[in-house]
Amino acid sequence: MMPDRYYQAGPSVPSTPVTDRASLRGKVSGLGSIPPARRRWRRTLRAGLFWTALGLGSASISYALSLDVAARSLGFDRRFAELFFALIPIPPLALGIHGLALALRLRAASALVDRTAAYLCDHLPEGYVVVPHYGPRDGADEEVPMVVIGPPGVIVIEPRDEAGEVLCYENHWYRMQKYGVGRRFPGQSPSERARWNAARVRGDISGDSARTPVEGVVVFTSAHIGDVSSSSVPALEGLPAIVDRLVGTPREPVRIAV
């Protein structure tokens, strides 16, 4: 079953809703963007706000309690009751702060996907379909940032917004700093994540998936790419490079790892 709404690229109508099911190229079923209200950053934000409110409420109650009465009710010594009520708010506050920080990072990644999708819709010719925030059918919590369907096949894009120069050594990514290689990228490797997401999208393709190529690509919107020859997926520098790769008219030079 095809989705009711997806977006077709083209210079005249960059973000026009399309409902013609026959316009997709390739046998792809169930493709569709996750609604904004169900995206992970919003769910994480709600959970973080809940735990933060619970921690602040616990702290308020603990502060307002009479320690003597509470100690007699619990059968504790007064100093143990004081320590007990001082520790109660810490776990929910820690969970809340962690959830809020994670929600901010996820929100920034979601905004990057939206900007990348808007750029592709403006610059890709007719015949391409851009699907941001794709939700695979494998039941995993992680969404696929972006899927582009066009004449070359299905391209799964992993956009990144690191600055400076980036390097890759056996799928471990680093950012070059003034005095040599800096800190390793936090979290999952971008190339491994792109390859995993490509496999998830490939699993959603109906019919003979071997006849519909699915490729994962990492795109750095701001960084300069150094030596990335050991990346397991192609790595591109700048949004114009992914447009050139999709339409088959590469510019010189194109920094790409094969």
Side-chain angles (χ1 to χ4, degrees), residues 2 8 11 20 41 53 93 102-103 112 122 132 135 148 151-152 170 175 187 194 205 210 222 224 236 250:
M2 294 305 301
Q8 184 175 20
D20 183 10
W41 78 267
L93 283 175
L102 179 59
L112 175 63
D122 286 339
V148 178
E170 296 183 352
R175 188 170 69 176
I205 295 177
S222 303
H224 170 71
L236 303 175

Coordinates of all heavy atoms in Angstrom, one line a residue, residues 2 8 11 20 41 53 93 102-103 112 122 132 135 148 151-152 170 175 187 194 205 210 222 224 236 250:
M2 N 0.6 2.2 -0.9 CA 1.4 3.4 -1.0 C 0.9 4.4 -0.1 O -0.3 4.4 0.3 CB 1.4 3.9 -2.4 CG 2.1 3.0 -3.4 SD 3.7 2.6 -3.0 CE 4.4 4.2 -3.0
Q8 N 7.3 15.2 -4.4 CA 8.0 15.0 -5.7 C 8.9 16.2 -6.0 O 8.5 17.3 -5.8 CB 7.0 14.8 -6.8 CG 7.7 14.5 -8.2 CD 6.7 14.2 -9.2 OE1 5.5 14.6 -9.1 NE2 7.1 13.5 -10.3
P11 N 11.9 21.7 -10.0 CA 12.1 23.2 -9.9 C 10.8 24.0 -9.8 O 10.8 25.0 -9.2 CB 13.0 23.5 -11.1 CG 12.7 22.5 -12.1 CD 12.4 21.2 -11.3
D20 N -0.4 10.6 -7.0 CA -0.4 9.7 -8.1 C 0.5 8.5 -7.8 O 1.7 8.7 -7.8 CB 0.0 10.3 -9.4 CG -0.1 9.4 -10.6 OD1 -0.6 8.3 -10.4 OD2 0.5 9.8 -11.6
W41 N 12.2 12.9 18.5 CA 12.7 14.0 19.4 C 11.5 14.5 20.2 O 11.7 14.9 21.4 CB 13.3 15.1 18.6 CG 12.4 16.0 17.8 CD1 12.0 15.8 16.5 CD2 11.8 17.2 18.3 NE1 11.2 16.8 16.2 CE2 11.0 17.7 17.2 CE3 11.8 17.9 19.5 CZ2 10.3 18.9 17.3 CZ3 11.1 19.0 19.6 CH2 10.4 19.5 18.5
A53 N 9.6 17.1 35.7 CA 8.4 17.5 36.6 C 8.3 16.6 37.8 O 8.1 17.1 38.9 CB 7.2 17.6 35.8
L93 N 15.2 13.5 38.3 CA 15.9 14.7 37.7 C 17.0 14.3 36.8 O 17.1 15.0 35.7 CB 16.4 15.6 38.9 CG 15.4 16.4 39.6 CD1 16.1 17.1 40.8 CD2 14.7 17.4 38.7
L102 N 19.0 14.9 25.2 CA 18.9 14.1 24.0 C 17.9 14.6 23.0 O 18.1 14.6 21.8 CB 18.5 12.6 24.4 CG 18.3 11.6 23.3 CD1 19.5 11.5 22.5 CD2 17.9 10.3 23.9
A103 N 16.8 15.2 23.6 CA 15.7 15.7 22.7 C 16.3 16.9 21.9 O 16.0 17.1 20.7 CB 14.5 16.2 23.5
L112 N 18.1 19.4 10.5 CA 19.0 19.2 9.4 C 18.4 18.4 8.3 O 18.6 18.7 7.1 CB 20.3 18.5 9.9 CG 21.4 18.1 8.9 CD1 21.9 19.4 8.2 CD2 22.5 17.3 9.5
D122 N 14.2 21.4 -4.2 CA 14.5 22.6 -5.0 C 15.4 22.3 -6.2 O 15.3 23.0 -7.2 CB 15.0 23.7 -4.2 CG 14.0 24.3 -3.3 OD1 12.8 24.2 -3.6 OD2 14.3 25.0 -2.3
P132 N 11.6 12.4 3.6 CA 12.3 12.6 4.8 C 11.6 11.9 6.0 O 10.4 11.7 6.0 CB 12.3 14.1 5.0 CG 11.0 14.5 4.3 CD 10.8 13.6 3.2
G135 N 9.8 6.0 8.2 CA 9.6 5.0 9.3 C 9.6 3.6 8.7 O 8.6 3.2 8.2
V148 N 15.6 8.9 -1.0 CA 15.3 9.5 -2.3 C 15.1 8.4 -3.4 O 15.9 7.5 -3.5 CB 16.5 10.4 -2.8 CG1 16.2 11.0 -4.1 CG2 16.7 11.5 -1.7
P151 N 15.5 7.6 -10.9 CA 16.0 6.7 -11.9 C 17.2 5.8 -11.5 O 17.3 4.7 -11.9 CB 16.3 7.7 -13.1 CG 15.5 8.8 -12.9 CD 15.3 9.0 -11.4
P152 N 18.1 6.4 -10.6 CA 19.2 5.5 -10.2 C 18.8 4.4 -9.3 O 19.6 3.5 -9.0 CB 20.2 6.5 -9.6 CG 19.8 7.8 -10.0 CD 18.3 7.8 -10.2
E170 N 38.4 2.9 8.8 CA 37.6 1.6 9.1 C 36.3 1.9 9.7 O 35.9 1.3 10.8 CB 38.5 0.6 9.9 CG 39.7 0.2 9.1 CD 40.5 -0.8 9.9 OE1 40.2 -1.1 11.1 OE2 41.5 -1.4 9.4
R175 N 37.1 14.1 13.6 CA 37.2 15.5 13.1 C 38.6 16.0 13.4 O 39.0 16.0 14.5 CB 36.1 16.4 13.8 CG 36.0 17.7 13.2 CD 34.9 18.5 13.7 NE 35.0 18.9 15.1 CZ 34.2 19.6 15.8 NH1 33.1 20.1 15.2 NH2 34.4 19.9 17.1
G187 N 28.4 8.5 19.4 CA 27.3 7.7 18.9 C 27.8 6.7 17.7 O 28.9 6.4 17.5
A194 N 24.3 4.6 7.9 CA 23.8 4.7 6.5 C 23.6 3.3 5.9 O 22.6 3.0 5.3 CB 24.7 5.5 5.7
I205 N 11.2 -3.1 0.6 CA 10.8 -3.1 -0.9 C 10.1 -4.4 -1.2 O 10.6 -5.5 -0.9 CB 12.1 -3.0 -1.7 CG1 12.7 -1.6 -1.5 CG2 11.8 -3.1 -3.2 CD1 14.0 -1.4 -2.2
A210 N 16.3 -7.4 -5.2 CA 17.7 -7.4 -5.9 C 17.7 -6.6 -7.2 O 18.7 -6.1 -7.6 CB 18.1 -8.9 -6.2
S222 N 28.5 20.7 5.9 CA 29.4 21.8 6.2 C 30.9 21.4 6.2 O 31.7 22.3 6.1 CB 29.0 22.4 7.6 OG 27.7 22.8 7.6
H224 N 34.6 19.6 5.5 CA 35.5 19.3 4.4 C 36.0 17.8 4.6 O 36.4 17.5 5.7 CB 36.7 20.2 4.4 CG 37.8 19.8 3.4 ND1 37.7 19.9 2.1 CD2 39.0 19.3 3.7 CE1 38.8 19.4 1.5 NE2 39.6 19.1 2.4
L236 N 30.0 12.1 0.8 CA 30.0 13.2 -0.1 C 30.2 14.5 0.7 O 29.7 14.6 1.8 CB 28.7 13.3 -1.0 CG 28.4 12.1 -1.8 CD1 27.1 12.2 -2.5 CD2 29.5 11.9 -2.9
P250 N 28.4 14.4 -12.2 CA 29.4 14.8 -11.2 C 30.2 16.0 -11.6 O 30.6 16.2 -12.8 CB 30.2 13.6 -11.0 CG 30.1 12.8 -12.2 CD 28.8 13.1 -12.8

